[in-house]
């Protein structure tokens, strides 16, 4: 919990969060996926090269992620077999051919609905940590009051 507090305090102390760099990548079906199309509607957890176990946990936590309007965007290398893995409503698998997007996000980041980078991680963070951080965000607290969940 101390890590969560430190992240929340560093975000609060810095004032406005830095804007997330825009990007467009392809999914396994060759469809383009643009960050700008999701800002304002969803929070995004960008994770680079997550393990198969991490992706399985995202699928298991699908409902908790949906309640918080949180989508996990997994950046994988081209040809990675996981690109064709099982889908979930809150999981997007994208091919980051050059690794540029992963480098921009350092390699993992949480982006708020406002497009600001709320937290950066050195490795894919535990989902419970991310969910707890999201629950502290003022916009999420307002959503809970309005939605009752």
């Amino acid at each position: 919990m101390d890590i969560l507090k430190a992240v929340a305090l560093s975000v609060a102390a810095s004032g406005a969060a830095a804007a997330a760099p825009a990007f467009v990548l392809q999914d396994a079906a060759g469809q383009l996926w643009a960050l700008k199309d999701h800002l304002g509607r969803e929070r995004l957890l960008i994770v680079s090269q997550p393990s198969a176990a991490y992706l399985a946990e995202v699928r298991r936590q699908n409902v908790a992620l949906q309640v918080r309007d949180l989508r996990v965007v997994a950046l994988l290398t081209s040809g990675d077999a996981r690109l064709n893995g099982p889908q979930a409503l809150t999981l997007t698998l994208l091919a980051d051919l050059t690794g540029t997007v992963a480098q921009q996000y350092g390699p993992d980041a949480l982006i708020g609905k406002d497009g600001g980078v709320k937290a950066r991680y050195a490795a894919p963070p535990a989902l419970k940590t991310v969910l707890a951080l999201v629950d502290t965000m003022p916009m999420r607290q307002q959503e809970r009051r309005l939605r009752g969940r």
Side-chain angles (χ1 to χ4, degrees), residues 78-100:
S78 180
D80 189 316
R82 293 175 296 169
L83 280 170
N84 296 309
Q87 298 297 313
L89 289 176
T90 58
L91 176 62
T92 299
L93 304 171
L94 300 174
D96 185 11
L97 302 177
T98 62
T100 304

Side-chain angles (χ1 to χ4, degrees), residues 18-144:
F23 67 87
V24 177
L25 293 174
Q26 287 186 342
D27 63 15
Q31 300 295 314
L32 294 179
W33 191 93
L35 175 70
K36 68 177 179 70
D37 294 340
H38 298 270
L39 296 178
R41 295 183 329 186
E42 297 178 300
R43 294 169 184 91
L44 302 166
L45 177 61
I46 310 292
V47 293
S48 180
Q49 299 301 317
S51 67
Y54 191 86
L55 294 177
E57 181 61 21
V58 169
R59 291 179 185 101
R60 278 192 295 278
Q61 294 287 332
N62 192 47
V63 172
L65 297 170
Q66 284 181 49
V67 166
R68 292 167 178 87
D69 299 332
L70 180 60
R71 171 175 301 281
V72 176
V73 179
L75 304 175
L76 304 169
T77 57
S78 180
D80 189 316
R82 293 175 296 169
L83 280 170
N84 296 309
Q87 298 297 313
L89 289 176
T90 58
L91 176 62
T92 299
L93 304 171
L94 300 174
D96 185 11
L97 302 177
T98 62
T100 304
V101 174
Q103 288 176 342
Q104 288 176 323
Y105 286 92
D108 305 312
L110 175 63
I111 302 169
K113 286 186 175 181
D114 63 359
V117 177
K118 305 301 183 185
R120 293 188 186 274
Y121 305 95
L127 290 177
K128 68 180 181 178
T129 301
V130 175
L131 295 174
L133 177 57
V134 167
D135 285 343
T136 68
M137 295 176 178
M139 188 179 291
R140 170 66 183 136
Q141 292 174 0
Q142 180 181 17
E143 291 166 359
R144 289 180 77 179

